[in-house]
């Protein structure tokens, strides 16, 4: 079993003796592998390798998911949002959400939440805020909204009297229907004032059901419950919100930015991306 103790001056209870459970595959470290990161171990690479064999598009999917997060965050910052609650943050990958937001709005405040101990172990990279802005990290489970909403760290960092963007990127497919995913998102959105936003991306089996069947089995056998959903089911997460143009679309079609275009890279297919993405605003 791996343990992580940062030690040193920045060591607090948050960082000491984190059990990394290196002998099990973890979704955060598998995702890090898809993104070409270095924070993954044998069990993660083995499971991620099986996913890539069943669904070679996974690397494109991960990259496009991250690119959607960048564009959605930038768009919301340009619309005037200054506060984010990002749940299912993942292992720090530059640029992190607060870096994207603070590039537009240096005074942006961001609260990160993840339930994986490896993210906690690397959370220091998420805390490097601008002087005008602020970031904090909470280790918690999205299935327990009250523990997040009542966290003193959240209340110290975000002002719930002003709009907040709830960012749930590639998270809700880890919450099967039996755990009431729609009730959970609703609980968070009901705590936020008018003008708040939901930015959400979600993997879908619709473009290649056979491959996603295998992906579902690989995650389930590795001990991670998943439920990949179709467009109609993803749309339900946005009920009661006003969708921002172009609505819910395959990730790479959500407000593509010509500045990101790479001449050497072909336009990905919907099956490669396999991700529904959208942003809704609370009226
Ligand atoms: C695929 S990664 C997405 C990372 C990042 N949001 C992005 O889009 O680039 C999913 C993240 O959700 C986290 N996660 C999974 N289930 C969770 C839960 N029940 N509560 C909180 N975080 C969870 C995992 O640990 C992982 O870091």
């Amino acid at each position: 079993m791996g343990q992580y103790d940062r030690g040193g001056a920045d060591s607090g209870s948050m960082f000491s003796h984190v059990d990394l459970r290196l002998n099990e595959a973890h979704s955060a470290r598998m995702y890090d592998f898809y993104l070409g990161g270095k924070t993954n171990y044998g069990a993660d690479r083995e499971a991620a390798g099986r996913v890539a064999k069943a669904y070679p598009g996974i690397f494109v999917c991960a990259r496009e998911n991250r690119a959607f997060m960048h564009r959605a965050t930038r768009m919301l910052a340009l619309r005037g949002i200054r506060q984010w609650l990002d749940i299912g943050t993942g292992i720090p990958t530059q640029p992190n959400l607060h870096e994207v937001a603070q590039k537009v709005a240096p005074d942006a405040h961001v609260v990160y939440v993840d339930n994986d101990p490896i993210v906690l172990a690397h959370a220091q990279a998420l805390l490097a805020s601008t002087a005008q802005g602020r970031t904090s990290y909470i280790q918690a489970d999205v299935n327990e909204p009250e523990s997040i909403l009542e966290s003193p760290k959240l209340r110290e960092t975000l002002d719930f009297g002003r709009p907040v963007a709830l960012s749930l990127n590639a998270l809700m497919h880890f919450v099967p229907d039996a755990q009431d995913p729609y009730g959970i998102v609703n609980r968070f959105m009901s705590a936020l004032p008018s003008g708040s936003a939901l930015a959400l991306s979600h993997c879908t089996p619709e473009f290649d059901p056979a491959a996603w069947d295998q992906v579902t089995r690989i995650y389930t056998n590795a001990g991670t419950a998943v439920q990949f959903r179709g467009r109609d089911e993803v749309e339900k997460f946005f009920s009661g919100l006003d969708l921002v143009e172009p609505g819910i679309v395959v990730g790479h079609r959500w407000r593509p930015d010509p500045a990101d275009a790479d001449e050497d890279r072909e336009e990905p297919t919907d099956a490669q991306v396999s991700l529904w993405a959208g942003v809704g605003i609370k009226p």
Side-chain angles (χ1 to χ4, degrees):
M1 238 184 273
Q3 296 226 311
Y4 190 97
D5 187 347
R6 290 189 69 87
D10 61 6
S11 163
S13 57
M14 178 163 140
F15 295 116
S16 22
H17 298 298
V18 178
D19 178 2
L20 300 180
R21 301 196 299 263
L22 300 185
N23 53 341
E24 299 165 15
H26 276 241
S27 64
R29 300 189 306 233
M30 289 168 71
Y31 182 66
D32 178 74
F33 176 80
Y34 306 144
L35 287 173
K38 292 194 165 55
T39 311
N40 49 74
Y41 302 89
D44 310 308
R45 290 192 285 272
E46 199 267 326
R50 277 187 286 129
V51 169
K53 201 166 166 209
Y55 163 50
I58 189 66
F59 303 102
V60 174
C61 169
R63 189 183 70 221
E64 292 297 336
N65 177 58
R66 202 74 199 164
F68 163 72
M69 182 276 275
H70 298 165
R71 296 195 302 277
T73 303
R74 211 179 299 133
M75 182 277 282
L76 288 167
L78 289 168
R79 271 180 78 115
I81 292 273
R82 292 294 177 267
Q83 311 188 93
W84 277 260
L85 172 57
D86 178 56
I87 311 181
T89 295
I91 291 163
T93 302
Q94 291 223 316
N96 295 294
L97 189 152
H98 74 280
E99 291 159 328
V100 177
Q102 291 182 343
K103 198 165 175 191
V104 179
D107 57 340
H109 286 207
V110 179
V111 170
Y112 290 113
V113 180
D114 204 289
N115 69 346
D116 192 310
I118 193 83
V119 182
L120 172 68
H122 290 269
Q124 196 63 27
L126 302 169
L127 302 179
S129 170
T130 54
Q132 308 96 302
R134 190 156 175 193
T135 59
S136 63
Y137 182 83
I138 303 169
Q139 166 133 22
D141 196 310
V142 71
N143 293 295
E144 292 165 14
E146 302 313 322
S147 76
I148 297 171
L149 290 169
E150 286 164 15
S151 158
K153 270 193 204 165
L154 179 137
R155 296 289 171 172
E156 282 159 19
T157 312
L158 303 182
D159 169 5
F160 271 32
R162 293 190 301 126
V164 175
L166 174 65
S167 169
L168 304 176
N169 290 304
L171 172 68
M172 295 313 289
H173 46 237
F174 295 114
V175 184
D177 281 352
Q179 287 164 227
D180 191 19
Y182 301 105
I184 290 170
V185 173
N186 211 12
R187 175 67 194 100
F188 282 109
M189 290 310 295
S190 69
L192 305 179
S194 165
S196 293
L198 170 67
L200 180 143
S201 62
H202 194 298
C203 286
T204 182
E206 275 169 309
F207 302 107
D208 192 348
W212 282 89
D213 229 40
Q214 288 190 59
V215 174
T216 301
R217 262 200 302 273
I218 295 164
Y219 273 93
T220 308
N221 291 342
T224 301
V226 287
Q227 185 171 345
F228 301 112
R229 297 183 172 91
R231 193 186 178 290
D232 290 353
E233 295 167 293
V234 172
E235 191 169 8
K236 274 171 64 185
F237 286 112
F238 293 93
S239 89
L241 306 180
D242 297 330
L243 282 168
V244 170
E245 282 297 318
I248 298 163
V249 292
V250 183
H252 62 303
R253 300 187 197 287
W254 194 90
R255 296 182 175 232
D257 186 342
D260 297 337
D262 180 345
E263 279 176 12
D264 299 331
R265 203 174 265 168
E266 275 180 35
E267 160 105 355
T269 64
D270 289 356
Q272 282 177 312
V273 179
S274 286
L275 193 73
W276 292 115
V279 174
I281 306 289
K282 184 170 174 175

